């Protein structure tokens, strides 16, 4: 199995979801005084590249530690969504054989906007119909290279809820 790290580096000045405090990284221990180095990290659980558990939006949903470790590894397919400016349709997903995959990764190209004010608006997301289709496949998870699986104006978080109710995890900010 080939492993590819798609995570962003945790830094104090990294982009965070609007309204969320940026992480704080404080030097807590130094070699000269303590004999070792250690940093104190303070941040929200949805900072940087992160995983949404069902409990994020589903009452009595599973927490990440409720899943066996094998739920977080598996085969993935990358679906190129770079031509879509808003809604990623079911028809695109159906062009791919998803029968042997555990994770679907949507490549929107939005990661190129990481660190800019444009990162937080205008990114594409699945339609509800496309999300229902992925949920029906009983995948382990969905990954996206943008701030959320829902459009920013979707304050009902319908895509999150469709996927999370099927115990799929979401990996955001890839």
């Amino acid at each position: 199995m080939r492993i590819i790290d798609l995570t962003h580096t945790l830094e104090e000045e990294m982009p965070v979801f609007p309204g969320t405090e940026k992480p704080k990284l404080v030097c807590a221990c130094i070699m000269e005084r303590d004999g070792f180095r250690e940093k104190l990290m303070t941040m929200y659980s949805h900072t940087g590249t992160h995983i949404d558990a069902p409990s994020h939006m589903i009452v009595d949903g599973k927490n990440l530690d409720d899943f066996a470790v094998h739920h977080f590894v598996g085969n993935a397919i990358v679906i190129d969504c770079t031509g879509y400016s808003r809604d990623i349709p079911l028809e695109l997903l159906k062009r791919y054989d998803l029968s042997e995959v555990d994770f679907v990764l949507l490549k929107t190209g939005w990661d190129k906007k990481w660190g800019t004010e444009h990162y937080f608006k205008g990114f594409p997301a699945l339609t509800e119909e496309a999300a229902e289709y992925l949920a029906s496949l009983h995948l382990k998870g969905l990954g996206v290279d943008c701030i959320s699986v829902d459009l920013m104006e979707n304050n009902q978080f319908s895509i999150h809820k469709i996927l999370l109710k099927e115990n799929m995890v979401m990996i955001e900010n890839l």
Side-chain angles (χ1 to χ4, degrees):
M1 177 186 309
R2 191 170 100 178
I3 298 172
I4 302 169
D5 182 359
L6 300 175
T7 60
H8 288 283
T9 302
L10 291 175
E11 302 172 303
E12 288 187 307
E13 292 307 312
M14 69 188 307
V16 294
F17 196 85
T20 301
E21 285 181 38
K22 291 185 181 260
K24 295 179 183 85
L25 306 170
V26 177
C27 181
C29 300
I30 60 172
M31 190 68 72
E32 297 76 18
R33 181 187 69 218
D34 304 301
F36 59 93
R37 290 182 188 94
E38 190 170 23
K39 289 195 184 244
L40 171 64
M41 295 176 24
T42 306
M43 64 183 203
Y44 284 81
S45 60
H46 287 73
T47 298
T49 304
H50 65 274
I51 300 175
D52 286 354
S55 63
H56 179 44
M57 295 196 177
I58 305 294
V59 175
D60 297 325
K62 286 185 173 187
N63 294 307
L64 293 178
D65 59 348
D66 292 327
F67 290 101
V69 70
H70 65 79
H71 191 85
F72 302 98
V73 295
N75 296 319
I77 188 168
V78 176
I79 296 181
D80 187 353
C81 305
T82 54
Y84 294 87
S85 60
R86 184 177 165 85
D87 295 326
I88 300 170
L90 173 61
E91 296 76 38
L92 173 65
L93 302 179
K94 287 198 165 189
R95 292 181 199 154
Y96 294 84
D97 179 7
L98 304 179
S99 62
E100 299 294 321
V101 299
D102 300 303
F103 294 90
V104 169
L105 305 178
L106 301 180
K107 177 185 174 188
T108 69
W110 217 254
D111 59 306
K112 292 176 181 66
K113 298 176 188 283
W114 178 259
T116 73
E117 63 186 60
H118 304 291
Y119 185 71
F120 301 102
K121 54 189 172 215
F123 56 85
L126 293 171
T127 62
E128 287 188 15
E129 183 183 38
E132 292 283 0
Y133 172 69
L134 289 180
S136 76
L137 300 176
H138 305 291
L139 300 168
K140 291 180 179 181
L142 171 72
V144 296
D145 60 357
C146 35
I147 192 77
S148 178
V149 299
D150 278 291
L151 298 172
M152 291 302 276
E153 63 271 16
N154 183 354
N155 25 4
Q156 298 300 311
F157 301 104
S158 58
I159 304 305
H160 272 87
K161 291 174 182 173
I162 289 167
L163 301 173
L164 292 172
K165 75 178 181 188
E166 296 302 322
N167 283 324
M168 288 176 64
V169 296
M170 269 150 300
I171 310 153
E172 295 170 324
N173 292 322
L174 291 171

